[in-house]
Amino acid sequence: MTILCVRFQLPPMYEAALPQLLGLLEEFTPVVEALPPDGALADLRGAERYFGRDAVELASVIRVRALALYGVDCVIGAGPGPMLARMALRDARPGLTRAVPGGEERDFLAGKPVAALPGVGTATARTLCEYGLDTLGRVAAAPLSTLQRLVGARTGREVHEKAQGVDRGRVVPNGVSRSLAADRPFDRDELDPDRHRRALLSAAGELGARLRAVDKVCRTLTLTVRYADRSTTTRSRTLKEPTAHSAALTRTAHEMYEALGLQRARVRTVALRAEGLTSAEQASHQLTFDPVDEKVRRIEEVADRARAKFGPRAVMPGSLAA
């Protein structure tokens, strides 16, 4: 076991803490791949030799440090490769690492449904199940030629290998989260459009504050509205320029909401996601010479300093975005 899949138990509003937690993992290995919004893969091959401990022992140290330094618990899966570590994570629970030792891959996978295998979509799983190949053990035992006739040459080979525990994936170091999300659930199904807009105002304010906290700007904003019948509507819009300005995010969110033309819709949750994150230092900003806009930006800077000093509740998210 050389790969850890770690999921930090972060509330959505503290998603901006992920970079610091990734830094904790990087104290053990430079090969860390962020899995936004709250997870990561870590390749510990070098760390096992350096620290003289196996991956499960190192996972215990990581968990203790995350709790001691950040007050964040985590669940961890360990395996010979990224795929198996991810699947082991699903069986893990706080305080206990779920490990798949080398040589026991097929036993671990055998009883799992075929849909649990990464890369197997609904259509592929349905086709395999129609022919009685409903578990990974049965898929692993099936002739390769049979699988290829059912789901195609390439897919058949990949599914056959993965079901036998062959994990060709690798951990690819990357940047911090490429998206941030903020949702606003209602206590009851909400009909009032004004409350919908106020919820979007609050969510956009939170996103702006979190983007500025990690020196990022976003290129795209996505709105998701979930209704009482559990159906959803999702709309995305590319911004005129990358921004972390709460007022700009709020305007875009309200424009997308108005374009939906909701009539007496019973809304359960509204959510915003900032996507296409890039460094704020590399982003250009079109000067408007608008004194109101410049004043709002200065107020944002003051509010951000207050949050950094007194905590996220020092200024209510969205209160400056109107």
Side-chain angles (χ1 to χ4, degrees):
M1 297 168 294
T2 58
I3 308 297
L4 295 185
C5 186
V6 184
R7 177 176 295 142
F8 298 103
Q9 297 189 305
L10 285 173
M13 68 179 296
Y14 295 109
E15 192 175 314
L18 182 60
Q20 296 173 315
L21 294 165
L22 294 179
L24 185 153
L25 294 177
E26 289 169 351
E27 294 177 7
F28 295 86
T29 173
V31 189
V32 175
E33 179 179 348
L35 301 176
D38 58 3
L41 287 169
D43 188 332
L44 298 181
R45 279 177 291 187
E48 287 179 315
R49 293 192 298 269
Y50 182 82
F51 292 102
R53 299 184 180 185
D54 63 25
V56 174
E57 292 173 326
L58 291 174
S60 298
V61 177
I62 290 169
R63 179 181 291 108
V64 169
R65 290 194 181 182
L67 280 168
L69 297 176
Y70 303 102
V72 175
D73 202 353
C74 55
V75 290
I76 303 176
M83 179 194 77
L84 289 161
R86 286 174 183 255
M87 295 184 72
L89 179 70
R90 300 173 189 172
D91 297 337
R93 63 179 187 271
L96 180 65
T97 299
R98 178 65 171 96
V100 183
E104 298 182 14
E105 297 91 343
R106 292 191 65 165
D107 292 338
F108 169 73
L109 295 170
K112 295 188 179 298
V114 67
L117 195 67
V120 173
T122 304
T124 299
R126 183 169 56 249
T127 299
L128 292 172
C129 290
E130 287 174 352
Y131 288 88
L133 302 173
D134 55 346
T135 67
L136 295 179
R138 292 176 177 174
V139 172
L144 173 59
S145 58
T146 299
L147 293 174
Q148 290 179 321
R149 283 197 299 271
L150 293 177
V151 297
R154 180 176 179 179
T155 301
R157 182 176 295 279
E158 290 180 355
V159 170
H160 193 247
E161 288 185 347
K162 289 180 178 179
Q164 293 180 330
V166 178
D167 190 349
R168 301 188 185 278
R170 61 190 184 93
V171 180
V172 181
N174 60 3
V176 187
S177 173
R178 295 184 180 180
S179 68
L180 292 175
D183 63 354
R184 292 294 183 270
F186 296 106
D187 295 333
R188 60 183 180 181
D189 299 333
E190 185 55 63
L191 292 167
D192 187 353
D194 288 336
R195 293 203 64 189
H196 300 165
R197 296 187 189 94
R198 287 198 294 272
L200 290 173
L201 170 67
S202 173
E206 178 189 322
L207 278 184
R210 289 163 57 192
L211 285 167
R212 295 189 297 274
V214 293
D215 295 321
K216 298 287 183 179
V217 293
C218 71
R219 296 180 178 275
T220 303
L221 190 66
T222 296
L223 165 67
T224 300
V225 180
R226 182 176 295 276
Y227 306 102
D229 62 359
R230 299 184 183 275
S231 63
T232 61
T233 300
T234 301
R235 294 290 185 272
S236 294
R237 181 169 297 185
T238 300
L239 303 172
K240 294 180 180 179
E241 63 179 22
T243 187
H245 186 25
S246 295
L249 297 174
T250 301
R251 283 194 298 270
T252 302
H254 283 170
E255 288 170 3
M256 288 191 289
Y257 172 81
E258 297 299 337
L260 294 178
L262 301 180
Q263 299 293 330
R264 300 288 294 174
R266 297 170 60 202
V267 174
R268 181 164 297 177
T269 305
V270 294
L272 292 176
R273 178 169 289 276
E275 301 175 311
L277 305 194
T278 56
S279 170
E281 295 181 355
Q282 300 175 358
S284 59
H285 167 53
Q286 179 66 43
L287 297 177
T288 63
F289 300 104
D290 180 352
V292 175
D293 181 72
E294 294 302 318
K295 180 180 179 180
V296 171
R297 290 177 184 272
R298 287 196 298 271
I299 293 174
E300 279 184 347
E301 293 176 1
V302 174
D304 291 342
R305 288 197 293 270
R307 289 190 189 93
K309 185 174 182 180
F310 300 109
R313 296 186 180 277
V315 180
M316 291 300 293
S319 61
L320 304 175

